[in-house]
Amino acid sequence: KRLPQAIIIGVKKGGTRALLEFLRVHPDVRAVGAEPHFFDRNYERGLAWYRELMPKTLEGQITMEKTPSYFVTKEAPARISSMSKGTKLIVVVRDPVTRAISDYTQTLSKKPDIPTFESLTFKNRTTGLIDTSWSAIQIGIYAKHLENWLLYFPIGQILFVSGERLISDPAGELGRVQDFLGLKRIITDKHFYFNKTKGFPCLKKAEGSSKPHCLGKTKGRTHPDIDQEVVQRLRDFYRPFNMKFYQMTGQDFGWD
């Protein structure tokens, strides 16, 4: 059992579960199924505890884990860096507005009596002031969170995966991820088929199984209808942060 050489650090509702499931098809990737939440919630348990959670690997295999909340956790970059400065980091990002709605939808499915998306979005609806303390909004300010990571890791050690392209061209995005991890490009388009009901790609064969595999019921939930004016306000709010994020990463994700 080895400490992970690569970690999917974010973002929540960006497509991290899909990416991990797709990656596990690769014979040289071994990953923890559940989210360990070590660098945010369980840090005091120590590295030995963390290592114990990891799968056994052979020489040349990569150990991985994913915990999307790391990306927004203040202490996570320093903690990961002190484990190993060479850790490769992967961030799956998607349009912050759809991400926020997806985040809300997930909470709604667990707590049906929460206030509306619209009322949570604004500090004050009349002035149109966005409530940035609401985590669903906060998480999508990617540029701000990234600044914290860049204090500890060079940008070249972080791969940014497009959540949208992970759906429209899974093999293409997986190609980039495999290159970044130094793996042979084994996962290709022949591994995927598009599931029309779910609206996203599924694996023809999952890891350790001969059966096709789609992500579970909790993925691909139908989003509630959100007032278009609110969506527009959010687009305007995120635009400068998105532009800054494009500059920082050298990638245009096409969210506007």
Side-chain angles (χ1 to χ4, degrees):
K1 294 186 178 190
R2 297 180 178 87
L3 289 165
Q5 296 98 316
I7 304 176
I8 299 172
I9 57 170
V11 304
K12 184 184 177 198
K13 309 310 299 169
T16 59
R17 170 58 57 194
L19 178 61
L20 190 72
E21 296 294 319
F22 295 167
L23 268 176
R24 290 171 87 169
V25 170
H26 200 294
D28 292 334
V29 171
R30 304 283 291 125
V32 190
E35 295 174 5
H37 282 283
F38 176 63
F39 296 103
D40 55 356
R41 299 180 200 160
N42 294 303
Y43 196 61
E44 69 297 334
R45 296 183 180 222
L47 281 171
W49 175 85
Y50 184 49
R51 186 185 212 132
E52 205 37 57
L53 298 176
M54 297 302 144
K56 290 185 171 150
T57 50
L58 299 165
E59 198 54 58
Q61 285 184 321
I62 290 179
T63 305
M64 287 188 77
E65 71 117 317
K66 79 125 180 148
T67 305
S69 49
Y70 290 164
F71 188 62
V72 298
T73 302
K74 206 88 188 112
E75 302 77 20
R79 288 172 173 178
I80 294 176
S81 167
S82 76
M83 170 184 76
S84 162
K85 283 187 168 44
T87 312
K88 290 184 173 179
L89 307 170
I90 298 174
V91 190
V92 188
V93 286
R94 80 192 266 205
D95 183 323
V97 181
T98 29
R99 198 221 65 81
I101 297 168
S102 177
D103 201 328
Y104 174 79
T105 309
Q106 181 177 31
T107 312
L108 189 64
S109 71
K110 297 173 187 167
K111 303 179 190 153
D113 51 349
I114 56 165
T116 64
F117 180 86
E118 288 83 352
S119 64
L120 290 167
T121 298
F122 298 107
K123 267 205 178 88
N124 181 329
R125 183 86 196 243
T126 332
T127 60
L129 197 65
I130 306 276
D131 188 355
T132 54
S133 68
W134 182 28
S135 73
I137 303 282
Q138 176 67 36
I139 292 171
I141 308 173
Y142 304 140
K144 203 181 104 212
H145 304 300
L146 180 56
E147 280 174 344
N148 194 24
W149 288 88
L150 294 179
L151 300 172
Y152 297 90
F153 292 93
I155 192 91
Q157 220 166 298
I158 311 173
L159 181 72
F160 300 91
V161 172
S162 158
E164 285 83 11
R165 281 198 300 268
L166 199 53
I167 293 170
S168 63
D169 177 20
E173 281 302 273
L174 262 290
R176 294 178 59 237
V177 178
Q178 291 170 96
D179 292 351
F180 173 71
L181 295 172
L183 296 166
K184 270 221 290 283
R185 281 200 180 202
I186 286 173
I187 308 165
T188 60
D189 44 19
K190 65 171 191 289
H191 285 89
F192 300 98
Y193 70 94
F194 196 79
N195 179 313
K196 286 198 174 62
T197 340
K198 275 226 166 273
F200 50 71
C202 302
L203 288 164
K204 287 186 182 158
K205 284 198 189 91
E207 181 224 6
S209 148
S210 57
K211 289 200 290 286
H213 172 67
C214 281
L215 296 172
K217 286 186 185 58
T218 63
K219 304 298 177 188
R221 292 188 188 95
T222 309
H223 289 178
D225 280 332
I226 307 294
D227 180 337
Q228 276 315 296
E229 184 211 340
V230 175
V231 171
Q232 198 47 56
R233 286 275 177 92
L234 276 176
R235 295 225 164 276
D236 297 342
F237 165 77
Y238 278 121
R239 193 167 295 111
F241 296 112
N242 289 347
M243 292 306 144
K244 185 164 185 215
F245 184 66
Y246 296 174
Q247 284 171 337
M248 291 169 85
T249 58
Q251 266 172 272
D252 181 336
F253 291 89
W255 294 324
D256 290 293

